[in-house]
Amino acid sequence: MLRDFRLMTDGVHLLRVERDPESGVPVLAAYRLTSGGRAWATPLPPGVDSVWTQGGILYGQGDGGVVVLR
């Protein structure tokens, strides 16, 4: 289960955690602010199901605690 549906932006993309439509695994997906089209998606580390930013750093949280995402 995904714990969080926060929307974030880097000024170019809208970022959010969602499930991959084919595999069902959690991914961090980016959508273009200009068109709304999906720009990219990348799988989250195993167990991570929540993502947020603080001080310009992207963090993930899940079963194993908090991790820094790079």
Side-chain angles (χ1 to χ4, degrees):
M1 171 180 228
L2 299 179
R3 290 192 229 174
D4 202 336
F5 296 98
R6 295 179 200 198
L7 298 177
M8 301 163 280
T9 184
D10 62 4
V12 178
H13 299 98
L14 176 77
L15 305 170
R16 74 179 205 137
V17 174
E18 60 187 46
R19 294 220 177 261
D20 181 273
E22 294 178 17
S23 67
V25 299
V27 297
L28 179 63
Y31 292 85
R32 291 176 194 87
L33 293 177
T34 55
S35 68
R38 192 180 208 187
W40 53 264
T42 189
L44 292 172
V48 171
D49 58 8
S50 177
V51 175
W52 76 95
T53 62
Q54 184 174 343
I57 298 171
L58 189 62
Y59 295 93
Q61 183 171 358
D63 300 335
V66 176
V67 296
V68 175
L69 302 174
R70 299 174 193 246

